[in-house]
Amino acid sequence: MDSCGNGCPPSAPGARKSHHSPEFKSGLTTRLNRIEGQIRGIKGMIERDTYCDDVLNQLAAVQAALNGVGKLLLEGHMKSCIVERIEAGEHEVIDELLITVNKLMK
């Protein structure tokens, strides 16, 4: 799926934006809303002195859900913006992508 629709704009500093399809944004928003609810639930668990192992399991679930959102964004980014920038001769985008992937893998 091409997440940028008509393609990503040029990479002028400060001017870069993604142009995701409404369906893609809706899917991400739904996932993030669910994650937000999980975070509120974890906060409540801590306030109620819930057993630590139960809280840790919920934290692991939130981290997995966030990783899922990151994977979707990364896939769309690579299939659209990265490809377009490489085709435009902007090979420095590979270094940018590697930095981002390293951050995601921490």
Side-chain angles (χ1 to χ4, degrees):
M1 167 200 308
D2 182 352
S3 68
C4 287
N6 296 325
C8 298
S11 60
R16 291 186 294 183
K17 290 188 176 186
S18 293
H19 296 283
H20 302 294
S21 71
E23 296 82 14
F24 187 76
K25 284 199 281 190
S26 177
L28 291 179
T29 299
T30 298
R31 285 173 175 254
L32 290 170
N33 286 339
R34 194 174 308 129
I35 292 167
E36 185 177 23
Q38 287 178 290
I39 296 290
R40 283 193 303 273
I42 292 169
K43 182 180 174 189
M45 292 173 78
I46 290 170
E47 290 169 350
R48 292 186 307 275
D49 295 321
T50 302
Y51 185 60
C52 293
D53 191 60
D54 296 334
V55 176
L56 290 167
N57 283 317
Q58 289 302 308
L59 285 171
V62 167
Q63 287 173 331
L66 283 170
N67 286 341
V69 171
K71 288 175 187 176
L72 287 173
L73 280 169
L74 181 60
E75 179 183 351
H77 184 54
M78 291 177 71
K79 287 182 175 181
S80 58
C81 300
I82 298 296
V83 169
E84 289 176 14
R85 289 183 62 192
I86 289 171
E87 288 174 348
E90 297 180 46
H91 297 277
E92 66 275 5
V93 72
I94 295 170
D95 292 329
E96 176 186 291
L97 178 62
L98 289 172
I99 291 167
T100 299
V101 169
N102 280 329
K103 288 177 185 176
L104 287 171
M105 295 178 71
K106 283 187 176 181

